[in-house]
Amino acid sequence: MAENESVNTIKTKEDVFIVDDKQKKNDATFYGSSDEESLETAVYDENLQWTDEEEQRIRTKLDIRLMSFILLMTFVLNMDRTNISNAISDNLASDLGFTNDGVNTGTLVYAIVFTIFTLPSNAIVKKIGAHLWIPILMSSWAIVTWAHALIHNFSGFMTARVFIAITEAGFIPACLAYLTTWYKTTELATRLAWFWGIQSFASAVSGLISSGMVGIIVFVYLPANAHKTKGLLSRRGWFTEREAMIATTRIIRDDLSKKEQDRPMVWSDVKQTLTDTKLWTHLMLTFVGMMSLTPIQTYLPSIIRNAGFSVTDSNLLTAPSYIINLVFSILIARRSDRHGQVALHDLVGVVWSLADFLALVLLPATAGRWSLYAAALVTSGSPSWHGMQIAWMSSNLAPVGKRILALGAVVGAANICSVPGSQIYQTADAPLYRRGNWINVALQTVTVVLFVAQRVRYALTNQDREQKWTAMSDEERSRYRETTKDLGSNRLDFKFRL
């Protein structure tokens, strides 16, 4: 069997700008590491080779045994957010003695507290491991969720929202950090689309899943790594010894900076995170682009009810929007993983939202209830670009310490945007919220500009680095690798993914 046909070749840092035509077509680039620190031989074999069929078998096992369980966990997480929206449409505020402005205040406080507690989460992940931190969080928020039965007034509502934010905050950053240790760069966007899409699916259905029970199961189910999959629920483990070696090695060859996965977090990681302007652009993208989700998701059942539907029908009629979101998000993310050009695929969802918010603004006041419903349905069903954007950001950040902190920060940005987002739809602007939707149009326009600017910046930086790298002799390249103080994605031999 010819090596270039079905056996993966060894990827090294010297391959940074040596990309064949097939790899160029698929936007498969290699990323340099800031550290030559190697893993134990039992975990990573730099000379290991395998067939495409073997790798596909491992990927299938991961999707069935690991990803499906991650999806179950995030489904449980989103049950709380779904229930609060449905409760609002069923007069939660008036039943507890306050108005929808009080709901906005609860959303605001939840977002602030959630954001604060996302930031240290992945530092804890680096210390004890995501496979332990995730079940601790799940068990904690289960207790708080059960305590919702004791709510009788606004003070109780606010207290519950604060504690649910504290216990839920670290879950998503921990899951993101965990998934990056199992999936390659070109596999992650699709899985993250499922990750966020299943949250939308949770909003479309109801169930009686106990998050406390799931949290207990997670303690004995999630493995630390591919070599430690034996447990109470899998006595033989998920992989053979060779498969475990392949599962680890393929991740490191895809991104050499992951050789540092077990390195403790240090102050230089924090400093690099805070001073990386490209990361700040990703955070601004998230903050501005996702702000519009808060009003449309929170008030979608209410908008439908105000169009002339009953409370029950309003909640049921929201379901198709979440299905639309799930299907299109996954289709677009899969295409992104296969063909690259992540930023351009991200723009599909942004432009979709922009057009739909504009349609809501221009919808005549005399429009029938089904016309209003259709416009609101398509708007709330716009494909999520959030998972693809996180996969794009993650692949363009190194070393691992900076990447782990950035994953917590981007989740924080996605939630702190709920603070201004919760104020976009005001009671005085109901029921069509035209002023609020003009704000949403402006936000999505800015998001388009930010995506284009970030992609252009990455492309120009790659072009500049490649010219400098090509102009260097072999001796100069070797000297650079040995003496440079540049770290991770600041290195000359690091190429950004577009």
Side-chain angles (χ1 to χ4, degrees):
M1 185 183 304
E3 180 178 295
N4 63 356
E5 290 180 335
S6 59
V7 179
N8 296 54
T9 57
I10 305 300
K11 298 177 183 178
T12 66
K13 285 192 298 185
E14 284 75 7
D15 289 321
V16 171
F17 291 119
I18 305 175
V19 183
D20 62 31
D21 292 337
K22 181 179 179 181
Q23 290 164 333
K24 284 181 180 178
K25 180 179 179 181
N26 291 298
D27 194 33
T29 53
F30 309 130
Y31 307 93
S33 169
S34 64
D35 195 342
E36 285 298 317
E37 183 180 341
S38 62
L39 300 179
E40 297 179 6
T41 303
V43 177
Y44 169 59
D45 182 357
E46 63 180 13
N47 297 313
L48 184 66
Q49 296 182 338
W50 59 86
T51 65
D52 291 340
E53 289 77 11
E54 286 181 297
E55 184 167 14
Q56 179 57 49
R57 187 160 56 247
I58 290 169
R59 195 160 43 237
T60 299
K61 285 187 177 182
L62 287 174
D63 286 341
I64 294 174
R65 299 195 176 198
L66 181 70
M67 193 65 210
S68 62
F69 198 75
I70 295 289
L71 295 180
L72 172 62
M73 292 190 296
T74 192
F75 179 91
V76 173
L77 168 72
N78 205 57
M79 295 282 292
D80 166 70
R81 302 176 184 181
T82 302
N83 290 337
I84 194 68
S85 295
N86 290 337
I88 291 171
S89 72
D90 199 20
N91 302 311
L92 167 74
S94 60
D95 288 346
L96 295 179
F98 54 94
T99 68
N100 279 352
D101 288 339
V103 174
N104 289 344
T105 301
T107 302
L108 185 150
V109 171
Y110 173 91
I112 294 174
V113 175
F114 190 105
T115 300
I116 292 172
F117 281 87
T118 58
L119 300 179
S121 174
N122 278 359
I124 299 175
V125 167
K126 289 286 286 182
K127 186 72 175 178
I128 69 174
H131 65 295
L132 294 178
W133 184 231
I134 290 172
I136 289 173
L137 291 172
M138 291 192 69
S139 299
S140 299
W141 95 53
I143 295 173
V144 178
T145 299
W146 293 332
H148 275 65
L150 304 176
I151 297 175
H152 297 292
N153 52 35
F154 181 69
S155 297
F157 172 75
M158 292 299 297
T159 300
R161 298 314 293 166
V162 167
F163 278 99
I164 201 72
I166 292 172
T167 54
E168 288 181 351
F171 173 79
I172 294 178
C175 284
L176 296 179
Y178 190 57
L179 289 173
T180 61
T181 66
W182 294 93
Y183 287 103
K184 294 164 62 174
T185 299
T186 54
E187 299 166 353
L188 198 56
T190 301
R191 275 74 189 180
L192 293 185
W194 273 102
F195 184 80
W196 266 278
I198 206 67
Q199 294 184 32
S200 295
F201 184 71
S203 301
V205 300
S206 60
L208 298 174
I209 298 177
S210 167
S211 55
M213 181 62 69
V214 173
I216 294 172
I217 295 174
V218 174
F219 271 110
V220 297
Y221 187 81
L222 286 186
N225 56 56
H227 294 264
K228 298 180 179 179
T229 57
K230 294 181 180 179
L232 294 178
L233 301 181
S234 181
R235 295 188 178 277
R236 293 190 302 174
W238 298 356
F239 307 110
T240 65
E241 185 60 33
R242 174 174 170 77
E243 287 175 337
M245 294 286 288
I246 295 172
T248 300
T249 304
R250 76 188 196 98
I251 297 301
I252 296 174
R253 289 192 192 163
D254 173 66
D255 182 348
L256 289 177
S257 68
K258 291 182 181 178
K259 293 174 73 174
E260 308 166 6
Q261 203 71 249
D262 296 327
R263 179 176 64 83
M265 192 168 291
V266 294
W267 171 246
S268 63
D269 294 326
V270 178
K271 183 179 179 181
Q272 288 184 70
T273 303
L274 293 175
T275 57
D276 191 326
T277 56
K278 296 182 182 69
L279 168 60
W280 281 102
T281 303
H282 281 289
L283 297 181
M284 185 60 67
L285 265 170
T286 303
F287 179 81
V288 174
M290 297 194 67
M291 194 183 300
S292 301
L293 292 179
T294 300
I296 193 65
Q297 290 182 348
T298 302
Y299 287 101
L300 178 61
S302 298
I303 291 172
I304 296 174
R305 187 191 65 185
N306 290 332
F309 296 93
S310 68
V311 171
T312 301
D313 288 343
S314 298
N315 288 335
L316 290 175
L317 286 170
T318 63
S321 70
Y322 302 116
I323 305 301
I324 292 171
N325 172 280
L326 174 64
V327 172
F328 280 94
S329 297
I330 293 169
L331 289 176
I332 295 170
R334 287 189 64 183
R335 194 178 189 284
S336 171
D337 274 343
R338 291 177 178 178
H339 302 286
Q341 301 296 339
V342 187
L344 300 183
H345 286 84
D346 280 328
L347 283 171
V348 174
V350 181
V351 173
W352 180 318
S353 294
L354 173 60
D356 289 335
F357 280 121
L358 190 59
L360 284 175
V361 168
L362 300 177
L363 192 70
T366 57
R369 64 174 186 169
W370 286 107
S371 296
L372 177 60
Y373 167 68
L377 174 73
V378 177
T379 303
S380 61
S382 62
S384 172
W385 47 263
H386 189 41
M388 284 189 292
Q389 200 262 148
I390 288 179
W392 186 36
M393 179 199 76
S394 176
S395 68
N396 287 332
L397 291 176
V400 168
K402 178 167 73 171
R403 179 183 299 151
I404 293 296
L405 289 173
L407 290 174
V410 76
V411 173
N415 283 274
I416 196 63
C417 69
S418 297
V419 174
S422 66
Q423 306 304 312
I424 291 177
Y425 283 177
Q426 293 289 323
T427 302
D429 196 26
L432 296 179
Y433 301 105
R434 294 194 188 279
R435 184 171 62 249
N437 284 324
W438 271 121
I439 295 173
N440 290 330
V441 168
L443 290 170
Q444 296 307 305
T445 302
V446 172
T447 304
V448 170
V449 174
L450 289 172
F451 263 117
V452 173
Q454 184 76 324
R455 188 188 184 282
V456 169
R457 185 181 183 187
Y458 279 145
L460 292 177
T461 302
N462 283 348
Q463 182 179 340
D464 179 65
R465 289 181 178 182
E466 186 166 5
Q467 289 175 349
K468 292 178 179 178
W469 189 258
T470 303
M472 295 169 67
S473 65
D474 291 341
E475 181 180 348
E476 288 173 327
R477 293 177 186 177
S478 178
R479 187 184 308 116
Y480 174 84
R481 295 191 190 100
E482 293 172 358
T483 62
T484 185
K485 294 183 180 180
D486 298 334
L487 298 174
S489 50
N490 292 328
R491 289 172 60 101
L492 187 61
D493 56 356
F494 186 101
K495 188 174 182 179
F496 293 106
R497 188 179 183 216
L498 302 180

